[in-house]
């Protein structure tokens, strides 16, 4: 619907002057509760300081392409009579709006282009952002700005800061073209800031008019939701009644999608971007569910008053269940009804071998449950009455029998929350109830009852997700960017025509943007009368999800497929939002809800193959036709490969032995105890016109051992494509990871099967189980499986533990004279499977970008609302085997987004910071920002941070000696004095999380610890103490979130797709050539793909030996240790250069969604791009040594020999000093 942009001419701007309010016109302060408003502009200080590559790309995208043709030139305003939303309320509303009730509906038609802009009088227009953030708000402002400049280049624009409060207090800035051009096509409301104030009191109305009169405003645009636009209509009425020349119009904003008045306002802006952002995340966790096949992912989405977001996301992703609040209310469903329905679905899926799934629900679901509404009402009344204590016993006695039963049905933690977590007025805070955890608890209890009765034998494990803030300030989609610009331009045109009391209307949205129809509809015609706080109030009726009626098409479409979705795995993966309109058709999609309401049909369910039971896993390969449009488009992309692999044929590649390798000199004798050879050569793949003895009849198996990571399916493509030219060769995948290998659950992977998964995330084709292949029994089972399947090669894909195991598998096979060559591939989003040979692991780049988008969105949200501190815990290497984990992902995300603070595990460990010292550092930063008037910020917390704190490390070590799960009552008496004291000071939620079930290697799962919540809790306490002492005068409102599962199955970036494919092709060549005991590696990753160098390195060259135990009695086997962030490395130093500015200012960058085409698709993570090439350094060293040998031949000058000899002797002495144990993390082994 949108054609490519055409360049526009330069925009003109002229500085405005602002007269002071004459003394006689100033409101009498007298006993007023508010100060007189300011009437002069505030200097603008909120310009963004930095932009990501995609932000720059979007800034340069010309907004002129979004302008509907009808608004070009001088459009004519056709006035029509508006139809009231409610006939019964019409007279009441007319009485409330006597001056503006008869405002006509307006439609613009193309006018004459002959009238010169200079003949039209310039106008001065103000704009205010009201309510919560929604993507696209800046483009509404851009549309207004360009619209009034088109009307007359001398027109002026001002912006009120931080919401409606800025109007009645006179807090405003002049908006120049320089300011405006720094925010086009960007997300958030940080250009001006937003606020939830309303103009309600007489004094506020008086001050608002005084400010507008003093500034000389011809018009004011209120960008907001239903309440804000109603408030704008009241302001328009007040201004007109009192003879103020300022006209007021609105623009429809809300991500909830509940401001919708067809046909005039078909949708509110921001809804599309928010829903597509959430749908991307839901799609990612759906892939995660298919990859592990052991979790139910329960996702709570924003939408308290309506279920529009949940429905849109369900239409885009097709989860197994989506609960709609409106349906719950209509059918009067109880909590038990919902519980039983979900339990029935879970039980039926379990019978089909599916103990996994995806469930979506709106955050306001609980408020739609009739019995819960009644319980809350009585609970508030009873607890306010004298004699009723906030205890279960007291409350149950006071409640009616019906509500007492409802209360008893709730899980214990919800009952406690209802009694203890109350607002300042003493009411239950329903919005704080985590509905997804409530439902999981009731469903779990119901399933256990069925298990006891013998009707259920499955497993129900839930993973919880709550998506909200990350969707409010994202970079707007092409649709939202266009729609918002058109809304702004429409609002400007309404004001230029002297109209007031209207809300901008843009229709015909299925057509190209140039054909959109624009106008305005009177807000009063949209209003109905509702009872609010004991009074009748005019409000725009909220657009709830329609279950029946003229706008019920989306719900009807979902209902048609709902029953099928319960049992099928028909998930649609929409992928990240795209902006390349030239190459990616999906970039211009409009919301699915809107498409259906405007008459389009929904794509039917694709053909879902009947899954094949293979051990504990289900195997059901999908055809490419069953995938989303974006995935189908993506699968057609041709992988880029190094020059040595250009032909993508094993016959066109030869193996070149570079040089014999070695391990650390001090470890050689110990390494020989485990490995037959420790000096195998380094291998480099080189192109050849014709290879002698091309391997034939190869049978290569692939096992996904490590955790999910983007790009693994591209690795399969690389293996399959490389073996195409090897006669009689086949590729096999083991379904179910290592367990599938032991049980010989292998399937043939043809190039056609693999191609259907090209460019997709996760491990859904083959899945995984446990990353463990260590014991003698496991090694022998692996060998037996390979022998029975006659495999000539076995490729093990994973991180440090996987590749350590692969080294011992290869050695075991060698000793048993097995013909199967074992090859490892580095993979893992945590990025710690790196060393001198391995510059990156598969999935790191994609995961970092996916996480960075969410962090960028959230940081911009914070700088828009200016009242929250976001504590964001980043998934990392905490569970990969390190006693103290790595934080590569957190560091990379910080480099991409520039948060105010990064709490890095390695740095805390290096400084040996105590918990108190760490809390003080955070509190000092918060206090410093508060002193500058900034009570908001974003703090990144590495997942494994607590294990780096000395006292916590001791506590964790002691707890690992207890059987888990456990209870505080049993553990506390057994702890040492110091650990007991620390444990008892921790909040209850952390105590419980420390005692949860351990991971497979018996180590604590750091991902279970809400470290961000603990830090926020401690910082809040510290600041409270400072406030009492008078040293802190700011405010502190923390919001905590974990970002992890929603990113690890992301669609892979171009880099990861090509890198994984290249590693797959390389591993195929190594395995087919019998190079057992090698890891496939690709170096020079900072160079263009064609210059990458592919090859193989012996495991023995990258294994390390940890130090012996204190008593010297035990020395662990050599292992590949997870690599920690190098505090002297380029990546960390880059952060150090910026951290001081980041703490003080808003340096936020938003990298946006992963781009799969266009200029930004080629951007690679800083961590990868800043790596030095070890192999290139070795090559340079060999060149220097060769040059030295050439210059020191017999007959050379004796002085040359003497200088060379002495220099080399000195160098060897230095190298002797350097020889010692390398920096490594001891790997946790059971």
């Amino acid at each position: 619907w949108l054609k490519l942009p055409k360049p526009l001419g330069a925009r003109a701007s002229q500085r405005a002057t602002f007269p002071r309010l004459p003394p006689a016109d100033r409101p009498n302060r007298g006993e007023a509760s508010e100060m007189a408003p300011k009437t002069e502009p505030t200097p603008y200080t909120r310009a963004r300081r930095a932009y990501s590559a995609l932000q720059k790309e979007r800034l340069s995208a010309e907004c002129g392409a979004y302008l509907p043709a009808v608004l070009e030139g001088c459009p004519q305003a056709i006035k029509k009579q508006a139809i009231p939303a409610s006939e019964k309320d019409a007279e009441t509303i007319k009485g409330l709006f006597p001056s503006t009730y008869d405002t006509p509906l307006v439609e613009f038609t193309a006018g004459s282009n002959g009238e010169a802009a200079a003949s039209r009088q310039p106008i001065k227009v103000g704009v205010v952002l009201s309510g919560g953030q929604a993507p696209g708000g800046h483009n509404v402002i851009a549309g207004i700005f360009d619209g009034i400049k088109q009307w007359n280049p001398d027109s002026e624009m001002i912006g009120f800061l931080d919401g409606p409060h800025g109007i009645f207090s006179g807090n405003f800035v002049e908006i120049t073209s320089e300011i405006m051009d720094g925010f086009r096509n960007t997300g958030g409301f940080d250009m001006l800031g937003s606020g939830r104030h309303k103009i309600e009191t007489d004094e506020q109305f008086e001050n608002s008019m005084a400010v507008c009169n003093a500034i000389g405003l011809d018009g004011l645009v209120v960008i907001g939701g239903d309440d804000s636009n109603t408030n704008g209509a009241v302001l328009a009425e007040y201004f007109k009644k009192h003879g103020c020349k300022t006209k007021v119009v609105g623009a429809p904003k809300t991500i909830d999608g509940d401001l919708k008045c067809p046909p005039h306002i078909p949708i509110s802006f921001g809804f599309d971007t928010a829903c597509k952002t959430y749908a991307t995340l839901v799609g990612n966790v759906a892939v995660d569910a298919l990859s592990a096949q052991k979790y139910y992912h329960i996702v709570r989405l924003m939408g308290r008053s309506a279920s529009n977001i949940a429905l849109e996301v369900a239409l885009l992703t097709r989860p197994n269940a989506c609960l709609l609040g409106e349906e719950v209310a209509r059918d009067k469903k109880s909590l038990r009804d919902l519980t039983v329905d979900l339990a029935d679905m879970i039980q039926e899926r379990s019978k089909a071998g599916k103990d996994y799934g995806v469930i979506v629900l709106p955050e306001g679901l609980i408020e739609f449950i009739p019995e819960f509404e009644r319980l809350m009402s009585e609970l508030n009344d009873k607890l306010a009455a004298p004699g009723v204590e906030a205890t279960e016993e007291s409350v149950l006695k006071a409640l009616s029998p019906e509500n007492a039963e409802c209360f008893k049905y709730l899980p214990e933690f919800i009952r406690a929350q209802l009694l203890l977590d109350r607002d300042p007025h003493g009411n239950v805070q329903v919005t704080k109830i985590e509905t997804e955890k409530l439902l999981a608890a009731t469903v779990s209890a119901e399933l256990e009852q069925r298990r006891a009765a013998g009707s259920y034998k499955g497993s129900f494990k839930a993973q919880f997700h709550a998506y909200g803030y990350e969707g409010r300030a994202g970079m707007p989609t092409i649709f939202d960017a266009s729609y918002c610009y058109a809304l702004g331009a429409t609002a400007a045109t309404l004001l230029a025509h002297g109209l007031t009391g209207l809300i901008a209307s843009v229709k015909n949205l299925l057509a190209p943007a140039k054909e959109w129809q624009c106008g305005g509809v009177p807000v009063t015609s949209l209003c109905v009368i509702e009872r609010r706080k004991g009074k009748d109030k005019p409000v725009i009726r909220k657009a709830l999800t329609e279950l029946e009626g003229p706008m019920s098409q989306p719900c009807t479409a979902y209902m048609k497929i709902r029953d099928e979705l319960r049992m099928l795995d028909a998930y649609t993966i929409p992928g990240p939002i795209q902006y390349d309109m030239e190459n990616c058709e999906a970039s211009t999609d409009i919301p699915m809800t809107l498409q259906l309401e405007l008459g389009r049909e929904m794509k039917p369910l694709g053909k879902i193959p009947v899954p094949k039971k293979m051990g504990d896993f289900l195997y059901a390969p999908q055809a490419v036709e069953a995938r989303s449009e974006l995935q189908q488009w993506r699968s057609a992309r041709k992988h880029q490969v190094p020059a040595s692999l250009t032909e993508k044929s094993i016959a066109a590649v030869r193996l070149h032995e570079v040089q014999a390798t070695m391990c650390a000199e001090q470890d050689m004798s110990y390494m020989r105890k485990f490995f037959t050879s420790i000096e195998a050569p380094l291998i480099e793949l080189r192109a050849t016109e014709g290879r002698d003895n091309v391997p034939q009849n190869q049978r290569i198996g692939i096992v996904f051992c490590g955790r999910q990571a983007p790009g693994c399916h591209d690795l399969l493509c690389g293996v399959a494509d490389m073996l195409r030219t090897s006669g009689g060769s086949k590729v096999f995948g083991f379904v179910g990871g290592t367990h599938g290998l032991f049980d010989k659950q292998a399937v043939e992977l043809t190039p056609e099967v693999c191609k259907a998964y090209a460019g997709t995330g996760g491990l859904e084709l083959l899945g995984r189980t446990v990353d463990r292949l260590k014991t003698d029994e496991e090694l022998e089972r692996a060998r037996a499986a390979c022998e029975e399947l006659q495999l000539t090669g076995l490729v093990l894909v994973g991180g440090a533990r996987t590749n350590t195991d692969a080294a011992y598998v290869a050695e075991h096979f060698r000793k048993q004279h097995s013909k199967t060559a074992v090859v490892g591939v580095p993979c893992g989003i945590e990025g710690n499977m790196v060393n001198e040979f391995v510059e990156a692991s598969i999935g790191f780049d994609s995961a970092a970008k996916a996480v960075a988008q969410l962090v960028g969105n959230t940081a911009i949200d914070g700088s828009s609302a200016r009242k929250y501190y976001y504590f964001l815990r980043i998934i990392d290497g905490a569970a990969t085997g390190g006693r103290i984990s790595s934080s590569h992902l957190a560091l990379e995300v910080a480099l991409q987004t520039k948060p105010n603070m990064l709490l890095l595990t390695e740095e805390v460990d290096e400084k040996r910071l105590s918990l108190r010292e760490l809390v003080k550092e955070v509190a000092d930063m918060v206090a410093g920002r508060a002193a500058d008037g900034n009570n908001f910020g974003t703090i990144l917390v590495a997942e494994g941070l607590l294990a780096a704190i000395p006292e916590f490390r001791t506590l964790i070590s002691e707890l690992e000696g207890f059987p888990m799960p456990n209870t505080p009552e049993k553990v506390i008496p057994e702890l040492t004095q110091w650990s007991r004291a620390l444990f008892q000071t921790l909040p209850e939620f952390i105590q419980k999380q420390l005692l949860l079930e351990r991971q497979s290697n018996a180590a604590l799962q750091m991902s279970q610890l809400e470290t961000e919540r603990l830090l926020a809790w401690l910082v809040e306490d510290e600041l409270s103490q400072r406030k009492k002492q008078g040293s802190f005068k700011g405010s502190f409102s923390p919001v905590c979130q974990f970002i992890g599962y929603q990113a690890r199955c992301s669609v892979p970036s171009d880099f990861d797709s090509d890198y994984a494919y290249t590693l797959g092709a390389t591993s195929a060549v190594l395995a087919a050539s019998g190079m057992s005991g090698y890891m496939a590696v690709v170096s020079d990753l900072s160079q263009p793909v064609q210059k990458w160098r592919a090859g193989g390195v012996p495991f023995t060259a990258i294994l390390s030996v940890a130090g012996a135990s204190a008593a010297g009695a035990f020395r662990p086997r050599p292992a590949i240790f997870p690599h920690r962030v190098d505090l002297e490395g380029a990546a960390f130093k880059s952060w150090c250069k910026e951290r001081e500015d980041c703490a003080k200012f808003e340096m936020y960058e938003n990298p946006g969604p992963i781009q799969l085409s266009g200029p930004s698709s080629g951007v690679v993570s800083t961590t990868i791009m800043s790596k030095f090439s070890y192999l290139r350094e070795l090559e340079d060293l060999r060149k220097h040594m060769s040059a030295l040998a050439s210059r020191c031949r017999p007959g050379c000058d004796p002085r040359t020999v003497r200088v060379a000899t002495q220099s080399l002797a000195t160098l060897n002495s230095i190298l002797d000093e350097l020889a010692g144990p390398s920096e490594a993390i001891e790997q946790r082994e059971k």
Side-chain angles (χ1 to χ4, degrees), residues 649-651 653 655 685 691-701 719 722-727 729-731 791-795 819-823 1064-1076:
S649 166
I650 196 169
V653 179
L655 277 64
L685 302 191
R691 175 179 176 177
D692 296 331
N693 302 319
V694 176
Q696 304 290 324
N697 301 311
Q698 297 295 302
R699 295 171 64 86
I700 295 178
V719 176
M722 189 55 65
L723 290 178
R724 277 179 187 268
T725 54
S726 174
S729 295
K730 294 182 178 181
V731 180
L791 297 186
T792 57
L794 179 66
V795 178
K819 296 180 181 179
T820 306
V822 179
V823 175
T1066 303
S1067 64
V1069 175
L1070 292 173
S1073 302
M1075 305 304 294
S1076 188

Side-chain angles (χ1 to χ4, degrees), residues 1094-1107:
V1097 58
F1099 287 122
T1100 52
I1102 52 179
L1103 290 167
S1104 299
V1105 179

Side-chain angles (χ1 to χ4, degrees), residues 447-468:
L447 291 172
E448 288 309 306
Q449 290 180 10
R450 298 185 184 191
R451 189 189 306 280
S455 60
Y456 174 68
K457 299 178 181 178
S459 169
F460 176 69
K461 296 178 181 178
Q463 295 281 358
F464 303 110
H465 313 272
Y467 302 147

